[in-house]
Amino acid sequence: MSQAKKQYEVLQKKMEETVIEASSGGGSVTVKMDGRKQVLSIRIDPEVAKAGDLEMLQDLVTAAVNGAGRKVDEAMQSTMGGTLGGLGIPGM
């Protein structure tokens, strides 16, 4: 069981260290998220904000956050496959 605990600790550390960036609207909105899906930052192009289309801006933020979440899932799936694969868990 200590090997499983060690693998879990390695995975937790990787989640904390992983930083994903996703954007929407051709880079109008950019979101940085860590492997724990905590949003680290959101950058909004000032020109998009000046346009005054609040609904579009909300959609762009939503799309960027969702995109970052998907990228985190993919990165963690890849990491977990490699990390947990050594434990002999079926399907990993």
Side-chain angles (χ1 to χ4, degrees):
M1 199 51 143
S2 66
Q3 183 183 3
K5 183 178 180 185
K6 202 177 287 187
Q7 293 290 343
Y8 176 76
E9 290 170 357
V10 168
L11 180 60
Q12 287 294 108
K13 185 168 175 57
K14 285 184 181 183
M15 288 174 72
E16 291 173 11
E17 293 173 350
T18 298
V19 176
I20 300 293
E21 187 171 291
S23 63
S24 63
S28 298
V29 175
T30 304
V31 172
K32 282 188 182 180
M33 184 179 283
D34 69 13
R36 297 169 299 161
K37 292 190 177 180
Q38 299 295 307
V39 174
L40 303 174
S41 68
I42 298 176
R43 188 191 61 74
I44 300 172
D45 184 330
E47 294 302 315
V48 175
K50 285 181 191 175
D53 189 346
L54 185 59
E55 188 173 328
M56 179 190 70
L57 182 55
Q58 291 169 337
D59 290 344
L60 290 173
V61 170
T62 300
V65 169
N66 288 337
R70 281 190 297 276
K71 285 185 175 185
V72 167
D73 288 343
E74 291 168 6
M76 290 301 105
Q77 183 73 21
S78 170
T79 299
M80 285 174 54
T83 302
L84 298 180
L87 294 177
I89 299 172
M92 294 289 170

Short mmCIF file of all heavy atoms in Angstrom, two decimals, residues 8 11-20 33-40 68-69 72-73 76:
data_model
loop_
_atom_site.label_atom_id
_atom_site.label_comp_id
_atom_site.label_asym_id
_atom_site.label_seq_id
_atom_site.Cartn_x
_atom_site.Cartn_y
_atom_site.Cartn_z
N TYR A 8 0.26 8.25 -5.34
CA TYR A 8 -0.76 9.29 -5.12
C TYR A 8 -0.08 10.64 -4.83
O TYR A 8 -0.50 11.67 -5.36
CB TYR A 8 -1.67 8.90 -3.96
CG TYR A 8 -2.68 9.96 -3.61
CD1 TYR A 8 -3.80 10.17 -4.41
CD2 TYR A 8 -2.51 10.77 -2.50
CE1 TYR A 8 -4.73 11.15 -4.10
CE2 TYR A 8 -3.42 11.75 -2.18
CZ TYR A 8 -4.53 11.93 -2.98
OH TYR A 8 -5.44 12.92 -2.67
N LEU A 11 1.29 12.04 -7.99
CA LEU A 11 0.19 12.56 -8.81
C LEU A 11 -0.29 13.91 -8.28
O LEU A 11 -0.49 14.85 -9.06
CB LEU A 11 -0.96 11.57 -8.84
CG LEU A 11 -2.17 11.98 -9.68
CD1 LEU A 11 -1.78 12.19 -11.14
CD2 LEU A 11 -3.26 10.93 -9.56
N GLN A 12 -0.43 14.04 -6.98
CA GLN A 12 -0.86 15.30 -6.38
C GLN A 12 0.13 16.42 -6.71
O GLN A 12 -0.26 17.53 -7.05
CB GLN A 12 -0.99 15.17 -4.86
CG GLN A 12 -2.19 14.38 -4.42
CD GLN A 12 -3.49 15.08 -4.77
OE1 GLN A 12 -4.21 14.66 -5.65
NE2 GLN A 12 -3.79 16.14 -4.09
N LYS A 13 1.42 16.12 -6.63
CA LYS A 13 2.45 17.10 -6.93
C LYS A 13 2.38 17.52 -8.39
O LYS A 13 2.47 18.70 -8.72
CB LYS A 13 3.83 16.53 -6.58
CG LYS A 13 4.95 17.53 -6.74
CD LYS A 13 6.23 17.00 -6.11
CE LYS A 13 7.42 17.88 -6.31
NZ LYS A 13 7.31 19.23 -5.87
N LYS A 14 2.18 16.55 -9.27
CA LYS A 14 2.07 16.86 -10.70
C LYS A 14 0.85 17.73 -10.98
O LYS A 14 0.89 18.62 -11.82
CB LYS A 14 2.02 15.58 -11.53
CG LYS A 14 3.36 14.91 -11.66
CD LYS A 14 3.30 13.70 -12.57
CE LYS A 14 4.67 13.05 -12.65
NZ LYS A 14 4.68 11.92 -13.57
N MET A 15 -0.24 17.46 -10.27
CA MET A 15 -1.45 18.27 -10.45
C MET A 15 -1.20 19.71 -10.05
O MET A 15 -1.68 20.63 -10.70
CB MET A 15 -2.62 17.67 -9.65
CG MET A 15 -3.14 16.38 -10.23
SD MET A 15 -4.40 15.61 -9.20
CE MET A 15 -5.77 16.70 -9.46
N GLU A 16 -0.47 19.89 -8.96
CA GLU A 16 -0.17 21.24 -8.49
C GLU A 16 0.77 21.97 -9.44
O GLU A 16 0.65 23.18 -9.64
CB GLU A 16 0.45 21.19 -7.10
CG GLU A 16 -0.51 20.75 -6.03
CD GLU A 16 0.15 20.53 -4.68
OE1 GLU A 16 1.33 20.91 -4.52
OE2 GLU A 16 -0.51 19.96 -3.79
N GLU A 17 1.70 21.23 -10.06
CA GLU A 17 2.70 21.84 -10.92
C GLU A 17 2.21 22.08 -12.35
O GLU A 17 2.76 22.91 -13.06
CB GLU A 17 3.95 20.96 -10.96
CG GLU A 17 4.67 20.90 -9.64
CD GLU A 17 5.82 19.90 -9.63
OE1 GLU A 17 5.94 19.10 -10.59
OE2 GLU A 17 6.59 19.92 -8.66
N THR A 18 1.20 21.33 -12.76
CA THR A 18 0.69 21.44 -14.13
C THR A 18 -0.06 22.76 -14.30
O THR A 18 -0.94 23.09 -13.50
CB THR A 18 -0.25 20.27 -14.45
OG1 THR A 18 0.50 19.06 -14.36
CG2 THR A 18 -0.84 20.39 -15.84
N VAL A 19 0.29 23.50 -15.33
CA VAL A 19 -0.43 24.73 -15.65
C VAL A 19 -0.83 24.64 -17.12
O VAL A 19 0.00 24.43 -18.00
CB VAL A 19 0.43 25.99 -15.41
CG1 VAL A 19 -0.32 27.24 -15.85
CG2 VAL A 19 0.81 26.10 -13.94
N ILE A 20 -2.12 24.79 -17.35
CA ILE A 20 -2.70 24.70 -18.69
C ILE A 20 -3.21 26.08 -19.07
O ILE A 20 -3.73 26.81 -18.24
CB ILE A 20 -3.87 23.69 -18.70
CG1 ILE A 20 -3.39 22.29 -18.30
CG2 ILE A 20 -4.58 23.68 -20.03
CD1 ILE A 20 -2.45 21.63 -19.28
N MET A 33 -5.09 27.54 -15.85
CA MET A 33 -5.68 26.67 -14.84
C MET A 33 -4.63 25.64 -14.43
O MET A 33 -3.84 25.20 -15.26
CB MET A 33 -6.90 25.97 -15.46
CG MET A 33 -7.71 25.10 -14.56
SD MET A 33 -9.13 24.35 -15.43
CE MET A 33 -10.26 25.75 -15.51
N ASP A 34 -4.64 25.26 -13.15
CA ASP A 34 -3.70 24.23 -12.73
C ASP A 34 -4.35 22.86 -12.84
O ASP A 34 -5.51 22.74 -13.22
CB ASP A 34 -3.14 24.51 -11.33
CG ASP A 34 -4.15 24.37 -10.21
OD1 ASP A 34 -5.25 23.82 -10.43
OD2 ASP A 34 -3.83 24.80 -9.08
N GLY A 35 -3.58 21.83 -12.53
CA GLY A 35 -4.05 20.46 -12.66
C GLY A 35 -5.16 20.09 -11.70
O GLY A 35 -5.80 19.06 -11.86
N ARG A 36 -5.41 20.95 -10.73
CA ARG A 36 -6.52 20.72 -9.79
C ARG A 36 -7.77 21.46 -10.25
O ARG A 36 -8.75 21.52 -9.54
CB ARG A 36 -6.13 21.16 -8.39
CG ARG A 36 -4.97 20.37 -7.81
CD ARG A 36 -4.44 21.00 -6.56
NE ARG A 36 -3.96 22.35 -6.87
CZ ARG A 36 -3.77 23.31 -6.00
NH1 ARG A 36 -3.99 23.10 -4.74
NH2 ARG A 36 -3.33 24.49 -6.37
N LYS A 37 -7.70 22.04 -11.45
CA LYS A 37 -8.79 22.82 -12.07
C LYS A 37 -9.09 24.10 -11.29
O LYS A 37 -10.22 24.58 -11.28
CB LYS A 37 -10.05 21.98 -12.25
CG LYS A 37 -9.88 20.90 -13.29
CD LYS A 37 -11.20 20.26 -13.64
CE LYS A 37 -11.01 19.24 -14.73
NZ LYS A 37 -12.28 18.61 -15.08
N GLN A 38 -8.06 24.65 -10.68
CA GLN A 38 -8.19 25.96 -10.05
C GLN A 38 -7.79 27.00 -11.07
O GLN A 38 -6.70 26.91 -11.65
CB GLN A 38 -7.29 26.06 -8.82
CG GLN A 38 -7.61 25.05 -7.74
CD GLN A 38 -8.98 25.27 -7.14
OE1 GLN A 38 -9.30 26.37 -6.70
NE2 GLN A 38 -9.79 24.24 -7.15
N VAL A 39 -8.65 27.98 -11.32
CA VAL A 39 -8.32 29.04 -12.27
C VAL A 39 -7.25 29.92 -11.65
O VAL A 39 -7.43 30.45 -10.55
CB VAL A 39 -9.58 29.86 -12.65
CG1 VAL A 39 -9.21 31.04 -13.53
CG2 VAL A 39 -10.61 28.97 -13.34
N LEU A 40 -6.14 30.06 -12.36
CA LEU A 40 -5.03 30.88 -11.87
C LEU A 40 -5.12 32.30 -12.38
O LEU A 40 -4.77 33.24 -11.67
CB LEU A 40 -3.69 30.26 -12.31
CG LEU A 40 -3.45 28.82 -11.87
CD1 LEU A 40 -2.17 28.29 -12.49
CD2 LEU A 40 -3.41 28.73 -10.35
N ALA A 68 -9.92 24.97 -20.98
CA ALA A 68 -8.84 24.70 -20.04
C ALA A 68 -9.15 23.45 -19.22
O ALA A 68 -8.26 22.63 -18.98
CB ALA A 68 -8.61 25.91 -19.13
N GLY A 69 -10.38 23.30 -18.81
CA GLY A 69 -10.79 22.11 -18.05
C GLY A 69 -10.58 20.84 -18.85
O GLY A 69 -10.09 19.83 -18.31
N VAL A 72 -6.88 20.10 -18.99
CA VAL A 72 -6.42 19.54 -17.71
C VAL A 72 -6.79 18.06 -17.64
O VAL A 72 -5.96 17.22 -17.26
CB VAL A 72 -7.02 20.30 -16.50
CG1 VAL A 72 -6.81 19.53 -15.21
CG2 VAL A 72 -6.42 21.69 -16.39
N ASP A 73 -8.02 17.72 -18.03
CA ASP A 73 -8.45 16.32 -18.02
C ASP A 73 -7.52 15.47 -18.88
O ASP A 73 -7.11 14.38 -18.48
CB ASP A 73 -9.89 16.18 -18.51
CG ASP A 73 -10.91 16.69 -17.51
OD1 ASP A 73 -10.57 16.85 -16.32
OD2 ASP A 73 -12.06 16.92 -17.93
N MET A 76 -4.05 15.17 -17.21
CA MET A 76 -4.09 14.32 -16.03
C MET A 76 -4.33 12.86 -16.42
O MET A 76 -3.77 11.95 -15.81
CB MET A 76 -5.16 14.78 -15.04
CG MET A 76 -4.82 16.10 -14.35
SD MET A 76 -3.29 16.05 -13.41
CE MET A 76 -2.19 16.97 -14.46
#
